[in-house]
Amino acid sequence: MKTKHLCTFGLLFFVTSYLLFSKLLPDFQYPIDFAHWFNLIGACLLLSFNDVFPRNILNSIASIVTALGVVAHIGLCTIDFIMTSYGINDFAREELSQHITSVPSILYPFIVVGPSLLFIGLSLHALNFSKTNAISVLMVCFSSLAIGFSFFILKNGVYMLLSCVVFVLGLGLLLFRKEENELVSK
């Protein structure tokens, strides 16, 4: 399987997780938390973007930031799996939530800052194409900001999903840019 295929599967898993997070579909996630499983698998597969874009200093920095973001997503999904394991016990879930927010060594790397690094890293990768694919780069960069805004400020799953769709489309266009150019020139 080619690295581009892994990236594509990562994008599909990731956008599917955001569809499930948006609550647009009926809730069928008990006893399995499909949204976080799709998010976890998607984030891990998005690590493949570190190998498909041109090698340069920006790519090296973006690769490190992306890898840190994937690690943070793994931690965040683990925390959410534990939350889900409490089932309907809202008291236990609230206790765990309060504990996590009171421990900065968990809160910042795995909830607040860390997962954002995945979006920042992929946006940095996209910046390599700002001269040749400006629209796709703008799609990735602005939608990554919109995902964070819709999650932290608006707390709106639908806006988060729409932002994620634009993010995934932008990365997809960058991922398959060569094949498109080869078809046009033939």
Side-chain angles (χ1 to χ4, degrees):
M1 184 175 290
K2 289 183 176 181
T3 308
K4 284 187 178 185
H5 294 124
L6 293 174
C7 293
T8 304
F9 285 126
L11 292 172
L12 291 173
F13 272 91
F14 211 66
V15 78
T16 302
S17 74
Y18 276 79
L19 175 63
L20 295 172
F21 289 141
S22 73
K23 306 279 190 211
L24 288 175
L25 299 177
D27 191 12
F28 57 88
Q29 297 195 75
Y30 186 79
I32 299 171
D33 185 354
F34 291 107
H36 286 98
W37 273 110
F38 277 83
N39 193 264
L40 175 65
I41 294 167
C44 291
L45 290 174
L46 290 178
L47 194 58
S48 301
F49 273 95
N50 288 345
D51 296 328
V52 295
F53 288 144
R55 304 270 186 249
N56 56 34
I57 293 173
L58 182 59
N59 177 275
S60 299
I61 294 167
S63 294
I64 292 168
V65 174
T66 302
L68 290 172
V70 169
V71 169
H73 262 80
I74 293 169
L76 176 63
C77 287
T78 302
I79 291 168
D80 288 329
F81 288 138
I82 294 168
M83 289 281 203
T84 303
S85 73
Y86 286 120
I88 60 170
N89 189 346
D90 291 333
F91 178 75
R93 223 186 346 253
E94 183 59 34
E95 286 288 315
L96 179 61
S97 180
Q98 286 179 2
H99 177 70
I100 289 170
T101 56
S102 68
V103 180
S105 62
I106 297 173
L107 179 66
Y108 292 105
F110 297 111
I111 309 266
V112 177
V113 177
S116 301
L117 294 177
L118 177 62
F119 298 104
I120 293 168
L122 292 171
S123 296
L124 288 172
H125 278 301
L127 289 176
N128 277 309
F129 307 100
S130 57
K131 291 182 181 176
T132 57
N133 298 81
I135 292 173
S136 298
V137 171
L138 289 173
M139 288 171 68
V140 171
C141 292
F142 283 123
S143 61
S144 66
L145 293 171
I147 291 169
F149 183 76
S150 61
F151 178 76
F152 287 111
I153 308 298
L154 298 177
K155 299 185 186 316
N156 187 307
V158 175
Y159 289 131
M160 199 166 58
L161 171 63
L162 293 174
S163 301
C164 185
V165 167
V166 174
F167 182 76
V168 164
L169 285 173
L171 279 173
L173 289 170
L174 291 174
L175 182 63
F176 291 102
R177 72 199 178 285
K178 286 186 180 179
E179 286 83 6
E180 184 179 289
N181 292 341
E182 289 173 6
L183 291 174
V184 170
S185 64
K186 286 185 178 182

